[in-house]
Structure formats: C-alpha cells, structure tokens
Amino acid sequence: MSHSSEPRPMTSRRSGPLKGVAQVPGDKSISHRALILGALSVGETKITGLLEGEDVLDTAKAMAAFGAQVERHGPGEWTVNGVGVGGFAEPEGVIDCGNSGTGVRLIMGAMATTGITATFSGDASLSRRPMARVTDPLALFGAEFTAREGGRLPITVKGAVDPVPVRYRTPVASAQIKSAVLLAGLNVPGDTVVIEAEPTRDHSERMLAGFGADIRSETTDEGHVITLKGRAELRAQPVAVPRDPSSAAFPVAAALIVPGSEIRVPGVSRNPTRDGLYVTLLEMGADIAFENPREEGGEPVADLVVRHGPLKGVSVPAERASSMIDEFPILSVIAAYADGVTVMNGVAELRVKESDRIDAMARGLEANGIRVEETDDSMTVHGAGNVPGGGTAVTHLDHRIAMSFMVLGMAAENPVSVDDGSPIMTSFPDFLPLMQGLGAELG
Ligand code: S3P
C-alpha cells in the first residue's frame, strides 16, 4: 500500500518539554497473528486493539482472499470467521503484502501445506528482501516455489498436497522463519519441530496454545526447541492485542532526549522476548518506571512513566539483539544524545529489514553531525550531547527509519528532515498527531 503513495517529506524541530499520555497502537506482530490464526480456526475470532496500519490491513485482505470472512466493526475491533486448518481456498488474484515481511512470510507458511497455489507480491522494499529463508524450510514439507532471481518476490507457491512433518533448525534468529514453519506444521500429520539457537519473539507459540494447538517449548542442549502436533483443530478465541513496545519506543525515546519531558505510555507489552530496548535503556540510566504490571491478552503489560534525564553510552551484547531487533534505529538516536559511546553487537539482521538499517541510520546520523562506525554486524554511535541536526535522512520505504529521524530532530540544534515519511502508515498511522499532542514540533 505505501508503495503506491507519493513521497511525503517531513521535518521535526527542537521541541519544548513533552507531556501527556501516549496511547500507542496495537502490537504489529500480534495483530498479524490474530488475523491469520482467526482465519485458520473454526468459529468467530473477536479481535480488539488490532493495529490498523497498512501492513496489518494487507494481511486482513489476504485472509479474506484465502476464504475467511474478515470484518471491521469499529476502531481496532474486528471479527474473523475462519475456514479451519487446511481450509484455505485458492485466491483469485495476487496476494499483495505491501511492505510487510511478517505478513508475506507467515502467510506463505500458513498456506504451504494446503494443496492450493498462490502468488505473492510486495512493494519495492519487500521485493528486495530475502525469502529463501522461509521457502527453503517450507520446501521440506513438499511445497514448491517459483521466485524471481535470488529467491525474491513475486513468488508463486504450490502448496504440498501430502505434506510431511519437518524438523528445522533456523539458520538465523528469526521469529518469522519460526512462525512460517509452525503455521505450515498445523496441517501436517505428526510433530513439526523448530530449533532456534536464541529464543525469538514467542507470540506465535503463545497464540497457538491459546487457540488450542498442542505446542510446547523447551530449552535443551540443542537450543530452544518448539514442538507442534499437526492436524490440530484451532478453536476461535477472543484476542485483546496489547500495545506495541516497538511503537512505544518512539515517544519513549523522545521523552528521554527532550529536556523537561514526562510522559505516560499505558498498556505496553512487556513480553521478555521483546523488551531488550527497555533493559538497555535502564542500563543507560534512563528514568523509566513500569507501573501496574498485569496480564492482558496472554501477554504481560505495564504502564510506562518516562522522564528526561542524563544517559550514558553502553555496549549492547549480541545475545540481546533478537529481543530488540526492531529498536536499533531508535536506540542509535538515543545514543546520539548519550554521554559516551554506544556499541550495538550482533546486528547483521538489520541489513535485511525494510531497509539496510545499519546503512540508513549511519548515513542519516552522519548527515546530522553524529559520528558512526559500522561493521557487517555492528554499529557504534558516538554520543554528542549537542546534536547539530540540519540534515535530511533517506528512509528507503522504512517506517522505523522515518520515525527515528523525526525523534532525532526534537532535541537537535537544527531541524531534521526525512525524504519520505509515508511508510510510517505501515505500523503507526497516528504517529504525527500523537507526537504533536505531546508537544513535539513536526510535520
Ligand atoms: C517479526 C519478527 C522480526 C521483526 C519483525 C516482526 C514477527 O523479524 O523484525 O518486525 O512478527 O515475527 P525477523 O523474524 O525476520 O527477525
């Protein structure tokens, strides 16, 4: 969707203290999964708090194309009447997943063990991203793929008619690969096993268990092992989507760097497989309180209270990378305002996100007077205290790059611009009014 919109240049300026309540949108990962599992269930799944960003809306359309009845009843309120495991119908048109790697990879998994054929496409960013990481394991089930050079989209998937169970060790830490294999395993007789060296976000496992699948996770000598019993019947469930910690990171970062700020961010997921940024910020000396810890929709949540204060540079260990994989762009902005050097280790995966995020952040920070060093799998930001600003960053169709540079400008000496802020619509449609409501100057 964002691929068809006009570029929208944006600029942010040094802002007064940010104050107020930031109601950030629903979790993107959980929103995709709620629609997909709803479509694979028997009965009606009621979803509240669904993220209505372009990525998730593309997944909703895809589920309708595969035969589910998907309806919107009000803001964030949706129902899905599913077709049951193995019940997907062959879509008539091409499934356009827009900008969403999660959408395309999970949906390919969900249909790969059903004897139908579907063709997937995406925008220029998604069409550059590696898909062999999911088509390789899905081929082990018996699915067949026709892809563009380098395993890129568009891809036609011929689902396996007689799928066989798979035992698969993920070659890189990726919840998308894990989830694609697990979703494929639903329609296969016997146990499908995924082994990961480091645990990645576990929303698929939590939600599959909630929908009645027989799934277990254990840590063994092999690593983190997830076993799913196939040919399961999924039962429709209500899903209350918690607020997205990756989206919360932007107002949180803004409050940390703009002097005099104090904001509240209610109901944010504190799932331990997602909270690496918050662990890192506390190490940097950030003033963040986690109030009213509770459980919502099967996920731990808390209300965050964030105040501006001095920050110091830290070294982020490689083992933490997967629990904050989407937060490195905004961490590199916070690091620019910290005292000393921040080193981010084990972040090679950033090079194959919506953009090459190491390159996009390094070039954009340099354009705004910040010193950055990079290797294939690390990034080092030299904190400056005073950030000169005055530069324009190229966002490469990447929502998190756009939002990160908008935050950078809120405390910089000169305005900071991006060439195109339209990709923000993929994950955080209310970013602009929400930040303006806190007192930030951007537009
Ligand atoms: C996601 C997993 C991560 C993350 C993405 C969402 C998911 O990707 O970057 O934004 O919902 O499973 P990888 O699995 O490729 O690391």
Side-chain angles (χ1 to χ4, degrees):
M1 291 176 72
S2 63
H3 50 290
S4 59
S5 57
E6 289 296 308
R8 183 190 187 309
M10 287 173 65
T11 298
S12 69
R13 295 186 164 71
R14 180 171 275 202
S15 306
L18 305 183
K19 302 274 179 192
V21 179
Q23 306 275 9
V24 302
D27 190 275
K28 182 153 72 70
S29 294
I30 296 174
S31 295
H32 283 293
R33 286 158 173 82
L35 291 166
I36 296 170
L37 290 193
L40 291 172
S41 300
V42 175
E44 182 168 278
T45 290
K46 285 194 169 66
I47 308 171
T48 50
L50 189 84
L51 165 65
E52 293 178 336
E54 290 173 348
D55 277 13
V56 174
L57 297 178
D58 283 335
T59 288
K61 273 193 238 152
M63 292 304 97
F66 281 102
Q69 227 181 304
V70 184
E71 281 174 53
R72 181 178 191 270
H73 302 277
E77 282 180 36
W78 291 63
T79 51
V80 183
N81 275 280
V83 292
V85 168
F88 272 173
E90 194 162 275
E92 283 181 17
V94 171
I95 304 295
D96 183 355
C97 290
N99 192 250
S100 180
T102 307
V104 74
R105 292 183 176 127
L106 268 56
I107 299 168
M108 280 203 268
M111 59 76 58
T113 51
T114 305
I116 57 171
T117 295
T119 299
F120 295 85
S121 68
D123 71 2
S125 156
L126 193 57
S127 302
R128 283 192 292 267
R129 298 180 66 185
M131 293 297 146
R133 52 178 52 201
V134 289
T135 57
D136 286 351
L138 295 177
L140 303 174
F141 287 99
E144 292 171 28
F145 300 88
T146 308
R148 216 157 48 85
E149 178 66 23
R152 316 275 150 166
L153 292 175
I155 293 179
T156 296
V157 185
K158 193 164 175 288
V161 178
D162 286 314
V164 291
V166 160
R167 185 180 172 81
Y168 190 70
R169 173 175 273 279
T170 54
V172 290
S174 165
Q176 293 178 359
I177 302 176
K178 168 176 69 178
S179 303
V181 174
L182 291 174
L183 291 171
L186 282 173
N187 196 35
V188 177
D191 285 353
T192 287
V193 181
V194 182
I195 304 148
E196 36 181 22
E198 298 284 341
T200 59
R201 66 188 67 194
D202 61 358
H203 308 302
S204 296
E205 295 94 304
R206 285 174 187 254
M207 207 182 285
L208 279 164
F211 276 71
D214 185 345
I215 183 166
R216 64 175 194 278
S217 302
E218 56 203 330
T219 302
T220 72
D221 294 347
E222 283 189 290
H224 185 234
V225 181
I226 305 120
T227 307
L228 172 83
K229 202 175 270 314
R231 291 275 150 90
E233 175 153 314
L234 299 184
R235 291 184 304 273
Q237 293 293 308
V239 181
V241 180
R243 294 178 195 272
D244 197 322
S246 301
S247 297
F250 297 102
V252 165
L256 290 175
I257 64 171
V258 174
S261 297
E262 175 172 342
I263 66 163
R264 174 176 278 271
V265 194
V268 177
S269 169
R270 293 231 59 214
N271 182 317
T273 62
R274 294 285 297 282
D275 77 346
L277 174 72
Y278 297 93
V279 173
T280 304
L281 292 176
L282 294 177
E283 288 177 2
M284 295 174 85
D287 185 347
I288 305 179
F290 300 91
E291 296 185 349
N292 307 318
R294 57 197 183 274
E295 182 131 324
E296 276 177 17
E299 299 269 337
V301 305
D303 303 331
L304 276 50
V305 179
V306 187
R307 294 183 192 88
H308 169 261
L311 300 168
K312 59 178 190 297
V314 291
S315 178
V316 185
E319 314 81 78
R320 197 180 293 158
S322 64
S323 68
M324 55 179 295
I325 196 65
D326 291 334
E327 281 66 80
F328 286 103
I330 191 61
L331 176 63
S332 68
V333 165
I334 300 168
Y337 287 95
D339 189 14
V341 170
T342 294
V343 187
M344 302 164 222
N345 297 292
V347 294
E349 274 294 292
L350 296 186
R351 297 210 180 267
V352 291
K353 294 295 179 188
E354 286 83 329
S355 67
D356 175 341
R357 287 182 171 163
I358 296 179
D359 182 70
M361 288 311 300
R363 301 294 82 77
L365 286 169
E366 285 164 358
N368 286 286
I370 301 298
R371 207 174 123 211
V372 181
E373 286 142 29
E374 59 177 293
T375 68
D376 284 351
D377 72 344
S378 77
M379 178 158 71
T380 300
V381 176
H382 293 259
N386 280 341
V387 172
T392 299
V394 181
T395 60
H396 302 283
L397 289 178
D398 189 331
H399 54 133
R400 299 200 200 280
I401 301 300
M403 290 187 278
S404 295
F405 283 104
M406 285 299 93
V407 172
L408 184 79
M410 291 172 199
E413 288 170 356
N414 297 288
V416 172
S417 299
V418 294
D419 65 331
D420 183 13
S422 67
I424 293 173
M425 297 306 282
T426 62
S427 70
F428 201 155
D430 289 336
F431 175 75
L432 204 58
L434 183 145
M435 295 305 305
Q436 287 167 338
L438 298 173
E441 292 189 33
L442 75 167

